[in-house]
Amino acid sequence: MQTIVVESKEQGAEKIVELVREELEAGSLNVLGLATGSTMEPVYEKMVASDLDFTSVTAFNLDEYVGIPATHKNSYAYYMNHLLFNEKPFKETHIENGMAENLEEECVRYETLLKENPLDIQLLGIGENGHIAFNEPGTSPESVTHVVELTESTIAVNSQYFTEDETMPVTALTMGISSIMQAKKLIVAAFGEKKRAALEKLFAGEVSTEWPVTYLLDHPNVVVITDLKL
Ligand code: GLP
């Protein structure tokens, strides 16, 4: 595991874009896994401002809420369209359909697509409780794309984005740990004190189901970018 310590989230975002650029210019980036959350906002801002050309790249997103459409400002589809895809064309973009009538079938469809398009890079944020994508504590390392009931901790953190008259979904669709671990390279970003506990667990070097981020210890090509000095 390689760790890059930066001074700020902005500098971290620049570093991430640089790593993506390296692979893109080397011709080794065909499929890019993307993440959402506030951590990734400056990353997409910098990608949009850059001269990077993603027209030969297929994108896959990690996760999506169940029950809110792509037109809802808190859906991850909306986030991606507005922060990146509307400005930077990709060859194809994929995100789980949280409005699918049959969610189990939707998960199988998504996982099949992932198998057909192996991820070259997967960008990852970390939840305060150590989740990656929406793989909450207790998730099996064998998991593939699945339906998940969000934990109290995640609901408490993510509800800040929903206004009082909006009900936050408590169910989501997410790539599994195994789906994520298939990526050739993982770029993990964690900025700010709220991520300290999760990063400490990762750097402690012991895999624990209670801290899904520690599963990444078993991956051969992980870059962690953080502003925390641990
Ligand atoms: C959400 C997403 C995760 C993301 C995490 C961190 O729960 N499902 O994929 O990594 O939040 O979010 P933030 O970057 O806002 O701290």
Side-chain angles (χ1 to χ4, degrees):
M1 198 168 73
Q2 186 197 351
T3 306
I4 301 173
V5 181
V6 291
E7 288 306 317
S8 63
K9 187 171 165 175
E10 287 296 312
Q11 213 185 77
E14 263 162 39
K15 192 69 212 171
I16 294 170
V17 176
E18 206 179 295
L19 293 173
V20 169
R21 178 188 291 277
E22 271 172 27
E23 302 274 345
L24 191 60
E25 290 179 351
S28 44
L29 180 57
N30 298 307
V31 185
L32 176 60
L34 299 168
T36 52
S38 58
T39 307
M40 296 297 157
E41 285 172 14
V43 176
Y44 300 142
E45 203 178 290
K46 288 182 198 314
M47 280 184 179
V48 166
S50 77
D51 60 353
L52 291 177
D53 178 3
F54 290 112
T55 54
S56 63
V57 176
T58 296
F60 279 89
N61 263 84
L62 287 170
D63 46 14
E64 177 60 287
Y65 289 113
V66 166
I68 55 174
T71 48
H72 190 294
K73 68 174 192 357
N74 285 118
S75 74
Y76 289 160
Y78 184 98
Y79 170 111
M80 289 310 304
N81 288 336
H82 284 78
L83 266 59
L84 186 61
F85 301 147
N86 289 351
E87 308 293 330
K88 275 277 174 197
F90 278 67
K91 183 177 163 197
E92 284 173 29
T93 64
H94 300 279
I95 187 160
E96 295 94 335
N97 177 8
M99 295 296 282
E101 238 169 75
N102 185 327
L103 296 175
E104 298 296 338
E105 270 174 24
E106 172 58 11
C107 292
V108 172
R109 182 193 72 84
Y110 204 71
E111 192 65 27
T112 306
L113 268 180
L114 280 169
K115 292 246 155 53
E116 290 165 358
N117 298 272
L119 295 160
D120 293 304
I121 297 180
Q122 176 65 58
L123 304 186
L124 289 171
I126 310 181
E128 289 176 33
N129 65 353
H131 74 215
I132 47 173
F134 270 136
N135 292 284
E136 298 282 28
T139 307
S140 159
E142 314 294 326
S143 53
V144 292
T145 304
H146 62 285
V147 182
V148 63
E149 296 304 321
L150 302 177
T151 59
E152 288 300 323
S153 152
T154 298
I155 295 166
V157 173
N158 288 12
S159 60
Q160 64 179 306
Y161 300 110
F162 290 81
T163 56
E164 267 171 35
D165 56 336
E166 290 168 341
T167 317
M168 187 194 149
V170 293
T171 309
L173 302 182
T174 182
M175 277 191 207
I177 298 293
S178 157
S179 340
I180 292 168
M181 294 289 275
Q182 303 298 322
K184 289 195 191 83
K185 184 186 196 116
L186 302 176
I187 300 176
V188 188
F191 306 116
E193 283 303 319
K194 289 182 173 169
K195 304 296 167 76
R196 184 177 287 276
L199 267 200
E200 273 175 358
K201 293 286 173 195
L202 177 62
F203 290 154
E206 212 175 290
V207 176
S208 151
T209 310
E210 285 316 299
W211 291 87
V213 65
T214 62
Y215 287 133
L216 306 185
L217 290 164
D218 288 333
H219 193 283
N221 190 358
V222 182
V223 184
V224 179
I225 299 180
T226 183
D227 61 347
L228 293 171
K229 288 160 188 88
L230 291 158

